[in-house]
Amino acid sequence: MAMKRGLGKGLDMLIPTEPHGTKEKKNGDKSTTVTGKKEKIKEIIKEVEVIKEVEKEIKLDINLVEPNREQPRKQFDEDALIELADSIKQVGIIQPLVVQQREGYYEIIAGERRWRAAKMAGLKEVPAVIRNYSEKEILEIALIENIQRENLNPIEEALAYKKLIEEFKLKQDEVAEKVSKSRTAVTNAMRLLKLDERVQQMLIDDMISSGHARALLSLDDKEEQYKLAMRVFDEKLSVREIEKMVKSILTPKKEKEETPKLDFLYKEIEEKMKNIMGTKVSIKAKDKNKGKIEVEYYSQEELERIIELLERTQNVVDM
């Protein structure tokens, strides 16, 4: 393991040594030697010197390196990998992989895309740094690396959040903090997992956008979600169009019915109730036999007064 020390090497340059004996300066009864100063400084430096371990980059046989099975990212753009492989052939791998030693192999913590491109480029060895992390830390690092590079599709991202929450007992705000996103963003991402699996796959395959997917979340019927998702793809519908379609499904238009006009009797009843309650009263008829009565109030005190009035009326009726 390489070690790094500070200050010691340049000491002789700061305080030159005297080859023959010691030079002495006198100041009254006090005298100080250069050698004495040098030894004193050496002692001080020895006390405060910090020894820092330097992380060592090594070369690993590419066949001894394997991807992390818990890697959030499951799909890799083939064209992008070919471009990266061509770059690696010319300049090599600039940033080393981060790996963890396992029994008989090295597991990738960060850099699977570089490893895949290196294999395509025909490299026999890859630069790597070996570190030791817990399973939770490995997942966090893989997730954060991919999210920061925007390499995860929305479903992969949602599944990674779910794993951090369910398996590692993190809260949504803790996950949000780790990936530098808002809690709302994490919540909205995870909601996509409520979609029909066929719709999730369409999102992965870029057949629909995240905006389309979020609009479809309002539908509980999975079959309805899939049918509308297919319409989005087939008819190239916009997010706004699909939102309107979802709204029309959730709130079907009722057959227009002419609202019966309040006759003179209703108006008279409204006035009587207004005088009794001391506030505005409206009677809204749905048909000849049904309707509703609305009593308005303008403060908490007025509401309490109306309730008290109704209670007194009820007591009178019970008597």
Side-chain angles (χ1 to χ4, degrees), residues 2-64:
M3 308 294 284
K4 185 177 181 181
R5 294 177 181 270
L7 295 180
K9 199 170 182 180
L11 188 61
D12 290 335
M13 296 176 66
L14 294 172
I15 305 175
T17 57
E18 293 290 336
H20 301 292
T22 305
K23 237 181 202 180
E24 192 176 81
K25 276 189 179 180
K26 291 186 179 180
N27 184 9
D29 294 331
K30 295 180 181 179
S31 65
T32 308
T33 66
V34 173
T35 303
K37 286 182 179 180
K38 179 177 175 181
E39 292 304 319
K40 184 67 174 176
I41 292 174
K42 276 185 176 179
E43 289 177 12
I44 295 171
I45 290 173
K46 189 175 181 181
E47 291 176 4
V48 300
E49 186 179 43
V50 177
I51 300 173
K52 184 179 180 182
E53 184 176 333
V54 178
E55 199 169 49
K56 189 177 180 182
E57 181 182 312
I58 61 172
K59 292 281 188 180
L60 292 177
D61 184 334
I62 198 167
N63 295 315
L64 292 178

Side-chain angles (χ1 to χ4, degrees), residues 152-295:
L152 294 181
N153 66 55
I155 299 301
E156 288 173 336
E157 185 178 342
L159 288 170
Y161 293 150
K162 183 181 179 184
K163 189 176 184 69
L164 285 170
I165 289 169
E166 292 185 354
E167 292 193 21
F168 300 114
K169 310 304 179 188
L170 293 180
K171 295 178 181 177
Q172 283 194 11
D173 52 353
E174 292 174 322
V175 172
E177 184 179 352
K178 288 181 181 295
V179 299
S180 301
K181 292 205 173 189
S182 68
R183 188 180 186 280
T184 303
V186 172
T187 301
N188 287 336
M190 291 183 63
R191 286 180 66 231
L192 296 174
L193 299 178
K194 295 180 180 180
L195 290 168
D196 181 87
E197 289 184 3
R198 294 168 294 179
V199 178
Q200 291 184 35
Q201 190 58 50
M202 291 176 72
L203 182 55
I204 292 170
D205 296 337
D206 286 329
M207 294 173 69
I208 61 173
S209 71
S210 296
H212 290 117
R214 284 192 290 270
L216 293 171
L217 280 168
S218 300
L219 298 173
D220 293 327
D221 190 326
K222 298 290 180 73
E223 194 62 36
E224 198 76 60
Q225 289 177 359
Y226 178 63
K227 285 180 182 178
L228 275 186
M230 287 302 298
R231 286 194 63 181
V232 169
F233 179 70
D234 293 336
E235 301 174 27
K236 303 295 183 282
L237 299 175
S238 68
V239 174
R240 182 68 62 191
E241 287 172 322
I242 201 67
E243 285 175 345
K244 288 181 180 178
M245 293 174 70
V246 169
K247 187 176 181 180
S248 67
I249 291 172
L250 295 175
T251 54
K253 290 181 180 179
K254 296 180 181 180
E255 292 183 7
K256 289 184 179 180
E257 297 178 357
E258 291 186 5
T259 304
K261 293 180 180 180
L262 286 174
D263 57 20
F264 179 77
L265 178 62
Y266 286 155
K267 288 289 185 183
E268 189 178 347
I269 294 173
E270 279 183 351
E271 286 300 318
K272 285 183 179 180
M273 294 185 70
K274 179 180 177 181
N275 292 332
I276 294 170
M277 294 193 160
T279 187
K280 185 178 178 181
V281 178
S282 301
I283 299 176
K284 296 185 178 180
K286 293 184 177 179
D287 56 36
K288 292 181 180 180
N289 300 310
K290 291 188 297 183
K292 63 181 178 180
I293 300 172
E294 291 183 352
V295 179

